[in-house]
């Protein structure tokens, strides 16, 4: 029976006995009193958050906490590590002690507690999610499970009680905050560091970040504190939306009632401490994961510095580019109208479809689920090979996106206090370990078009400095050579041979000297395509050749590089067995669909299994470089600043008198952060702006 039919066929041969709480079938499905504990556990297991909140009993029974601990003890190599936590957790939910600090006497009492503690969970409540502009509304601390304190500092709603002076509180906390020997813990500590820096405090001593602990241990799952508490503690808490609302009606945290704010913030610090007590032993039990966690913590420090530095933007240049793009976009619209024989909305799929298929009679490439001819990006690209109107529409879309996303907005994103753009690097998002950035998104600036590359010209150096761009050369191919151990690939990189030319010579059966530019281009597509699990069909599309010819190239490639084929087959098999793959350094990349009965999903997971170790290892390498370069800059007290990290590239703002030092030392540092079977190669360029340097 086909899978789809089987899924919609009602089973009538099920034996219900023993399947409902171990009871006989009819008794098991009879109506009975609500069993809140079991129901809550079921809701939480499957993510029914609204239903969880609808239960009358808001406090989580201790049994749920104990069940979570038992699960972790069963999974861990050293269950004894959880005994202390297990002994305290049973009565945690019903024995919470949260203080609201409104007097200097209470403040002094809590200051003494945190100064004496081995580890303190710290959380900030602020005016904004923009870490460069956010101001502190309140602070919370937790040093003992189930116990926390909130210090309200800037709640300003009507009839808000008098609070301790914010500047004085921060001044009295500053010695402890800036003492690296006083160990601190947080959830997304990079944000809190920025907020405190806005008030003149450079926090030292952050030893742990529960968000990063989760990211290393379970990269494929959510890492927000609410999710972590539900998953590992069986605790649900107050959400930000519960306090502040949503959308247009959302209020600032400063307008939240102090009593409610105190409960929320104390809960955050308390849960952060509890989550750490569950996750930290798991990291300690695995040497490789501990290495990755330390790398992530060190990267958080380096990224904080990069974000804080920011990059100077030439706003007048962007304005000029926007005007030019606008003029070109309007011209393209007129050209499209002439081809179509009428005006139409270039952003309307319905109008485009009508002109394409009804008026111009263009061929239908594929249809939407509703049966209408599709005009999506893939269809436009296919039709653009033979017809001018789809090509014009693609050009219009590309330039419009460039204008709307970058040239119009970059200048507006500059911080009024610094005059620079401070992107935010999301460290716990990509499952491969790669960073992503937003406000602005530096990863997606188009570089394949002249217009896209011009945007990089607006990232400039101040007078007396230049921009330097250092990146790894062919990093993923080098990692493939190392992981696969293929003799031919290893020899090509070890001897400094042009790997694409060498591949072309192997695939086309010629000497490297006889390889044509076209053959080298084919080889480059093959080299990178196979890393991403490209099929013969995909290769044929990329090269514009027949699928049979592409399959022949792939067969010849594997015949010449058998180690690569062995690596791919063994990696897929190992992924199916373990459910994850690893980078060279031990980062785990989970593949939930690797054994899926759904063919396309399973195929996607298999391709990811091949590529993820290379992407993940490349991510580890650039983080190692970022950390090491920053350490050297600090140790030598250089004026050079790291200002961006994009893919495999580090970007610097370099004083003119340090250019030669950077030219020599930065590539050397980047090439020395790991000892692979092939040499790492970093290249560097300089210029007045990012485009000229890259």
């Amino acid at each position: 029976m086909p899978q789809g039919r089987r899924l919609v066929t009602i089973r009538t041969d099920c034996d219900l006995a023993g399947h409902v709480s171990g009871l006989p079938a009819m008794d098991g499905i009879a109506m009975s009193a609500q069993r809140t504990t079991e129901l809550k556990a079921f809701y939480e297991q499957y993510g029914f958050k609204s239903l969880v909140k609808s239960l009358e009993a808001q406090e989580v029974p201790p049994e749920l906490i104990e069940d979570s601990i038992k699960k972790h003890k069963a999974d861990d190599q050293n269950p004894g590590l959880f005994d202390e936590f297990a002994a305290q957790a049973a009565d945690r939910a019903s024995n919470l002690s949260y203080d609201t600090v409104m007097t200097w006497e209470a403040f002094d009492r809590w200051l003494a507690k945190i100064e004496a503690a081995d580890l303190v969970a710290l959380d900030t409540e602020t005016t904004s999610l923009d870490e460069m502009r956010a101001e502190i509304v309140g602070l919370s601390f937790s040093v003992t499970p189930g116990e926390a304190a909130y210090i309200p500092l800037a709640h300003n709603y009507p009839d808000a009680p008098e609070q301790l002076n914010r500047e004085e509180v921060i001044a009295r906390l500053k010695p402890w905050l800036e003492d690296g020997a006083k160990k601190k813990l947080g959830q997304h500590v990079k944000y809190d560091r920025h907020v405190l820096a806005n008030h003149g405090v450079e926090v030292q001593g952050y030893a742990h970040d529960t968000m990063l602990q989760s990211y290393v241990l379970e990269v494929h799952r959510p890492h927000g504190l609410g999710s972590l508490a539900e998953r590992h503690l069986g605790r649900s808490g107050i959400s930000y939306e519960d306090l502040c609302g949503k959308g247009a009606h959302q209020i600032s945290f400063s307008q939240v009632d102090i009593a409610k704010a105190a409960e929320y913030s104390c809960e955050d610090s308390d849960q952060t401490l509890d989550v750490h007590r569950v996750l930290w032993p798991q990291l300690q039990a695995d040497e490789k994961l501990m290495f990755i966690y330390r790398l992530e913590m060190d990267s958080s420090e380096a990224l904080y510095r990069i974000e804080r530095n920011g990059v100077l933007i030439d706003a007048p240049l962007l304005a000029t580019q926007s005007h030019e793009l606008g003029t070109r976009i309007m011209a393209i619209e007129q050209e499209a109208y002439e081809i179509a024989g009428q005006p139409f909305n270039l952003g309307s799929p319905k109008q485009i479809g009508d002109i394409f298929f009804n008026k111009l009679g263009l061929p239908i490439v594929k249809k939407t689920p509703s049966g209408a001819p599709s005009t999506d990006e893939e269809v436009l690209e296919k039709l653009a090979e033979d017809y001018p109107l789809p090509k014009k529409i693609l050009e219009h879309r590309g330039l419009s996106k460039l204008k709307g996303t970058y040239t119009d907005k970059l200048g507006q994103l500059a911080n009024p206090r610094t005059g620079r753009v401070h992107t935010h690097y999301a460290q716990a998002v990509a499952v491969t370990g790669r960073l992503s950035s937003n406000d602005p998104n530096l990863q997606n600036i188009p570089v394949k078009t002249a217009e896209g590359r011009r945007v990089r010209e607006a990232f400039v150096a101040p007078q007396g400095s230049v921009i330097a761009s250092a990146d790894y050369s062919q990093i993923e191919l080098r990692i493939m050579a190392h992981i696969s151990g293929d003799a031919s690939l290893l020899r090509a990189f070890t001897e400094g041979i042009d790997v694409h030319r060498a591949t072309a010579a192997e695939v086309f059966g010629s000497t490297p000297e006889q390889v044509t530019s076209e053959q080298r281009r084919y080889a480059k597509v093959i080299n990178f395509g196979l890393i991403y699990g490209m099929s013969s069909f995909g290769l044929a599309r990329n090269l514009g050749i027949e699928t049979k010819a592409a399959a022949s190239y792939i067969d010849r490639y594997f015949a010449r590089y058998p180690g690569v084929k062995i690596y791919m087959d063994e990696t897929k098999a190992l992924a199916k067995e373990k459910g994850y793959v690893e980078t060279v350094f031990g980062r785990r990349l989970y593949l939930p669909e690797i054994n899926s009965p759904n063919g396309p999903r399973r195929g996607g997971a298999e391709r990811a299994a091949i590529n993820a170790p290379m992407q993940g290892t490349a991510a580890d390498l650039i983080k190692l470089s970022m950390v090491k370069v920053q350490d050297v800059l600090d140790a030598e007290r250089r004026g050079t600043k790291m200002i961006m990290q994009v893919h495999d590239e580090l970007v610097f703002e370099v004083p003119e008198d340090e250019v030669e030092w950077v030219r020599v030392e930065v590539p050397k540092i980047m090439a020395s952060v790991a000892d692979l079977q092939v040499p790492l190669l970093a290249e560097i360029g300089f210029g007045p702006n990012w485009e000229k340097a890259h």
Side-chain angles (χ1 to χ4, degrees):
M1 180 185 296
Q3 178 82 333
R5 185 180 180 86
R6 186 182 69 79
L7 289 172
V8 299
T9 300
I10 296 174
R11 292 287 298 273
T12 58
D13 59 347
C14 297
D15 178 12
L16 297 180
H19 288 284
V20 183
S21 303
L23 301 175
M26 297 311 295
D27 291 337
I29 62 175
M31 181 69 74
S32 60
Q34 176 175 291
R35 290 179 290 176
T36 301
T37 299
E38 292 92 330
L39 185 59
K40 189 173 182 66
F42 175 83
Y43 286 164
E44 290 178 339
Q45 179 181 358
Y46 293 102
F48 296 113
K49 295 181 181 179
S50 297
L51 294 176
V52 169
K53 293 177 183 178
S54 71
L55 293 177
E56 292 182 2
Q58 291 299 313
E59 289 188 346
V60 180
E63 302 94 277
L64 290 181
I65 300 176
E66 291 174 348
D67 287 346
S68 179
I69 295 166
K70 287 175 184 176
K71 172 183 177 294
H72 289 299
K73 288 180 71 173
D75 291 344
D76 198 78
Q77 298 175 18
N78 188 355
L81 292 169
F82 292 96
D83 289 345
E84 181 185 353
F85 179 78
Q88 297 174 359
D91 62 351
R92 184 77 41 75
S94 57
N95 291 282
L96 301 177
S97 176
Y98 292 164
D99 289 345
T100 305
V101 177
M102 303 296 291
T103 68
W104 286 113
E105 181 183 4
F107 174 85
D108 289 337
R109 187 169 63 249
W110 269 96
L111 180 59
K113 281 187 179 185
I114 66 175
E115 286 181 335
D118 292 331
L119 181 67
V120 179
L122 164 65
D123 186 44
T124 63
E125 305 304 339
T126 68
T127 58
S128 172
L129 292 177
D130 181 345
E131 61 254 34
M132 292 296 297
R133 306 188 192 201
E135 296 181 12
I136 292 174
V137 174
L139 296 164
S140 66
F141 304 90
S142 180
V143 298
T144 304
E147 185 178 357
Y150 178 64
I151 310 175
L153 297 172
H155 290 265
N156 60 7
Y157 55 88
D159 301 322
E162 185 177 351
Q163 299 146 66
L164 298 181
N165 179 269
R166 182 169 67 182
E167 285 66 34
E168 188 173 351
V169 166
I170 292 172
R172 292 176 67 174
L173 286 170
K174 187 172 182 177
W176 175 79
L177 288 167
E178 294 188 341
D179 187 345
K182 302 296 185 181
K183 300 305 179 187
K184 304 161 189 75
L185 158 72
Q187 164 77 13
H188 191 192
V189 301
K190 183 158 63 69
Y191 173 83
D192 290 335
R193 287 201 64 187
H194 278 299
V195 173
L196 286 157
N198 294 343
H199 291 271
V201 179
E202 286 295 337
V203 183
Q204 302 297 320
Y206 265 120
H208 295 291
D209 186 330
T210 46
M211 179 185 75
L212 296 181
Q213 289 174 344
S214 172
Y215 183 56
V216 171
L217 285 166
E218 41 191 14
V219 67
H220 57 304
R221 308 194 73 175
H223 311 299
L225 182 59
S227 296
L228 293 178
E230 288 181 6
R231 196 156 70 239
H232 296 290
L233 308 174
R235 294 177 65 178
S236 60
I238 307 165
S239 73
Y240 187 84
E241 287 75 17
D242 290 336
L243 288 181
C244 300
K246 297 180 180 179
H249 300 290
Q250 188 174 79
I251 62 173
S252 167
F253 198 88
S254 63
Q255 297 174 281
V256 173
D257 177 79
I258 286 178
K260 294 179 179 178
E263 183 182 2
Y264 168 80
S265 191
C266 286
E267 183 179 77
D268 276 3
S269 289
D270 179 32
Q271 288 186 352
T272 298
L273 188 61
D274 270 0
V275 168
H276 166 71
R277 289 161 65 83
V278 172
L279 299 185
W280 176 232
Q282 297 178 59
L283 288 165
Q284 288 178 303
D286 191 306
E287 185 178 347
K288 290 191 291 186
L289 291 183
M290 180 65 87
F291 175 85
I292 296 297
Y293 175 57
R294 288 302 181 201
L295 174 58
E296 291 296 345
M297 286 298 295
D298 291 343
S299 296
S300 177
E301 165 69 23
L303 288 169
Y304 162 76
R305 303 280 290 279
I306 292 172
E307 291 175 350
R308 205 79 197 160
N309 289 335
V311 58
L312 194 61
I313 291 291
D314 186 340
L317 176 61
L318 286 169
T320 299
Q321 291 183 7
S322 270
H323 176 73
E324 292 172 355
L325 285 173
T327 302
R328 177 62 186 143
I329 288 167
M330 288 191 289
I332 292 171
E333 288 178 356
Q334 293 303 317
E335 292 167 10
Y337 297 162
E338 290 177 12
I339 296 170
Q342 67 178 73
F344 67 101
N345 182 352
L346 274 69
S348 167
K350 186 175 185 301
Q351 291 186 34
I352 291 172
D354 183 55
I355 290 172
F356 275 15
F357 309 114
N358 296 331
K359 183 172 184 179
L360 300 181
L362 271 56
I364 297 172
V365 177
K366 67 176 184 180
K367 294 187 176 182
T368 66
S370 65
S374 173
T375 59
D376 65 15
E377 197 85 359
E378 181 184 357
V379 169
L380 288 174
E381 288 176 355
K382 180 65 177 175
L383 292 174
E385 295 173 4
D386 300 305
Y387 301 96
L389 185 55
K391 189 174 182 178
K392 290 294 178 187
I393 292 173
L394 282 173
E395 187 180 0
H396 183 273
R397 287 184 182 179
L399 295 182
S400 296
K401 183 177 181 180
L402 191 66
K403 184 178 186 295
T405 305
Y406 293 105
T407 61
D408 285 352
K409 292 184 178 178
L410 269 176
Q412 299 172 16
L413 291 173
N415 186 293
R417 180 167 52 84
T418 66
R420 290 168 171 254
V421 164
H422 301 266
T423 189
H424 166 72
Y425 287 96
Q427 196 174 346
V429 173
V431 295
T432 59
R434 293 271 192 188
L435 299 172
S436 62
S437 69
N438 52 69
D439 297 326
N441 182 348
L442 302 178
Q443 314 283 355
N444 288 349
I445 297 176
V447 294
K448 293 185 178 180
T449 65
E451 293 84 2
R453 289 192 297 274
R454 284 188 65 203
V455 173
R456 291 190 174 199
E457 294 177 3
F459 291 74
V460 298
Q463 189 171 4
S465 296
V466 297
I467 299 294
S469 169
D471 66 346
Y472 282 116
S473 172
Q474 299 177 329
I475 188 64
E476 290 187 3
L477 288 176
R478 290 173 188 269
I479 294 167
M480 168 64 90
H482 171 83
I483 294 176
S484 69
D486 184 88
S488 296
L489 275 181
L490 289 174
R491 184 173 61 254
F493 283 116
T494 302
E495 296 177 3
I497 299 170
D498 179 340
V499 70
H500 300 312
R501 185 170 293 277
T503 297
E506 296 284 358
V507 169
F508 295 106
S510 64
T511 65
E513 295 75 20
Q514 294 172 323
V515 169
T516 66
S517 59
E518 184 73 357
Q519 289 174 330
R520 186 184 182 281
R521 184 180 72 82
Y522 275 32
K524 185 175 182 179
V525 174
I526 294 169
N527 276 329
F528 287 112
L530 292 182
I531 283 178
Y532 288 92
M534 186 182 289
S535 65
S536 55
F537 176 76
L539 182 61
R541 284 194 59 191
N542 270 269
L543 294 177
I545 60 177
E546 295 292 328
T547 302
K548 187 175 180 180
S552 174
Y553 290 157
I554 292 175
D555 290 342
R556 278 188 258 169
Y557 179 93
F558 286 138
R560 299 291 185 172
Y561 298 118
V564 175
K565 177 64 173 173
I566 293 169
Y567 157 75
M568 290 181 172
D569 292 341
E570 290 181 348
T571 299
K572 284 190 285 188
L574 196 63
K576 290 177 184 294
E577 177 188 337
K578 290 186 172 183
Y580 64 85
V581 291
E582 290 184 342
T583 69
V584 168
F585 302 99
R587 184 187 298 274
R588 287 184 184 172
L589 310 158
Y590 288 86
L591 302 159
E593 301 281 5
I594 193 67
N595 290 306
S596 171
N598 181 290
R601 290 183 179 178
R602 185 176 64 253
E606 289 174 350
R607 289 190 293 275
I610 293 168
N611 176 248
M614 282 169 285
Q615 274 208 28
T617 299
D620 293 340
L621 284 169
I622 199 65
K623 286 178 177 176
L624 286 166
S625 290
M626 184 171 62
V627 169
K628 181 63 175 175
V629 169
Q630 187 62 61
D631 285 347
V632 173
L633 291 175
D634 290 343
E636 299 208 4
R637 300 187 178 183
R638 294 281 173 180
T640 294
K641 297 177 181 178
M642 212 166 0
I643 56 174
M644 289 185 284
Q645 196 281 306
V646 182
H647 303 305
D648 302 316
E649 175 186 7
L650 296 178
V651 183
F652 303 87
E653 186 176 285
V654 185
E656 290 174 350
D657 60 357
E658 293 186 10
V659 167
E660 286 311 308
W661 182 88
V662 170
R663 188 190 307 278
V664 174
E665 295 301 323
V666 168
K668 189 187 300 183
I669 294 168
M670 293 176 66
S672 66
V673 294
D675 186 17
L676 304 185
Q677 292 187 71
V678 295
L680 293 174
L681 176 63
E683 300 171 329
I684 192 164
F686 297 84
N689 58 60
W690 187 15
E691 172 59 17
K692 296 291 185 182
H694 186 69

